[in-house]
Amino acid sequence: MCLPQENCCMLKPLLILASVLLLLPNIPGIQLKTSTTSYNGKEKFNPELSYINSVDKLEKYVDAAAKDKNIAFTSLEYAEILDNAIALRFYKGQSNKTLQQNWITVVADKLAGTNYSMLLSADDILQYPNAAVMQQNLVMMELLKRKNIEYRNISLNEKDALEIKSGSNWYFFDVSNEPNIKAEERISGNHGIYASNLSGYYGPASHAAFGNGLINIKRGNVNDSAIASIQAVQIFTTILSKTAWIFSLLMLWAVRKRPFKLYAIKPKGKYIQMFPMQSLYNA
């Protein structure tokens, strides 16, 4: 039996309301109140470098510094200049998408504590003075990719860092915590075996985060930023956040076009016959 006329009348305003609510987050100027991260005054962050708001500008800045010191663009020294530039450009604190960009992930992060709204494009991240550890690494990876320098993610007890290849060796970089490590001490294998090895680089406060025993080291694939799964979620939810309100309107259109009839059931031998009844209302 088709939906009664009364149910149809109730459904229409609900679909209109749903469409409006799904459209509202896409309107410029509407924001969801979130916690903000401010500079703590302890990091290397230099606000004068805020003009570097694209990878192109970052590349020009690092290239100029390397030329002044006659450093090759594919060398370990170039990676160290880039590492220092990233440390000066950002202070720690995740930068995220806005409601207008993807309200689904923003709301999900707020309610469930996920990180699906975090910015992943290097150029997008460079629009902000703050960036999470992973985001600073993504900016660094983007320029390393342009210079054909191999890199890979490394996790030390869930702490994110990078290893960069120069010659036949891999070298350790941790831009977010800015440890004081000499070039020869960066070689993979000279660090990160026991927590005591890291205490000299990070100091007691940071050392505590590694624990006192064997460090669990995980290395990613070469030249892989390991963000494919988050990117897939962002692509899908971005499309959905922009179009969800349209589905409500389509459902409303379908409801309005659908004929609503009541039927009388009358037994006829072994069979049942259904006769349409005259409705007192028009759909």
Side-chain angles (χ1 to χ4, degrees), residues 109-128:
D109 286 0
K110 185 73 173 178
L111 296 178
T114 56
N115 290 308
Y116 287 119
S117 68
M118 71 183 302
L119 296 173
L120 299 177
S121 164
D123 281 330
D124 289 343
I125 296 168
L126 282 163
Q127 304 307 309
Y128 296 84

Side-chain angles (χ1 to χ4, degrees), residues 116-167:
Y116 287 119
S117 68
M118 71 183 302
L119 296 173
L120 299 177
S121 164
D123 281 330
D124 289 343
I125 296 168
L126 282 163
Q127 304 307 309
Y128 296 84
N130 54 294
V133 175
M134 180 180 180
Q135 291 174 316
Q136 293 186 38
N137 286 342
L138 287 173
V139 174
M140 193 166 180
M141 289 180 203
E142 185 61 32
L143 189 48
L144 291 172
K145 187 190 303 181
R146 290 190 178 191
K147 300 302 183 183
N148 295 316
I149 299 175
E150 291 185 322
Y151 57 84
R152 64 189 179 192
N153 285 296
I154 180 172
S155 174
L156 308 174
N157 285 5
E158 307 304 323
K159 171 183 169 50
D160 293 325
L162 283 179
E163 285 186 333
I164 296 173
K165 191 174 184 180
S166 180

Side-chain angles (χ1 to χ4, degrees), residues 264-275:
I265 300 176
K266 180 180 178 180
K268 185 179 180 181
K270 296 181 180 180
Y271 304 97
I272 294 177
Q273 283 187 326
M274 298 180 66
F275 298 92

Side-chain angles (χ1 to χ4, degrees), residues 213-225:
L214 185 67
I215 290 179
N216 182 22
I217 301 177
K218 296 179 182 178
R219 290 183 171 88
N221 296 324
V222 176
N223 296 341
D224 181 10
S225 58

Side-chain angles (χ1 to χ4, degrees), residues 3 8 11-12 15 246-260 283:
L3 286 174
C8 170
L11 186 59
K12 289 178 182 178
L15 289 173
I246 299 176
F247 292 111
S248 294
L249 289 183
L250 291 175
M251 289 179 65
L252 176 63
W253 177 82
V255 168
R256 290 177 63 87
K257 289 292 184 181
R258 179 177 179 177
F260 288 86

Side-chain angles (χ1 to χ4, degrees), residues 23-32 97-103 106 238 241-242:
L23 176 62
L24 278 177
N26 295 294
I27 299 176
I30 298 177
Q31 296 296 334
L32 183 65
K97 291 179 176 292
T98 64
L99 279 175
Q100 289 70 42
Q101 291 173 316
N102 189 332
W103 65 264
V106 172
T238 296
S241 68
K242 300 295 184 185

Side-chain angles (χ1 to χ4, degrees), residues 184-202:
E184 62 272 14
E185 295 173 331
R186 292 184 182 275
I187 298 178
S188 180
N190 291 350
H191 65 82
I193 304 302
Y194 293 96
S196 57
N197 291 31
L198 293 170
S199 60
Y201 302 141
Y202 290 95

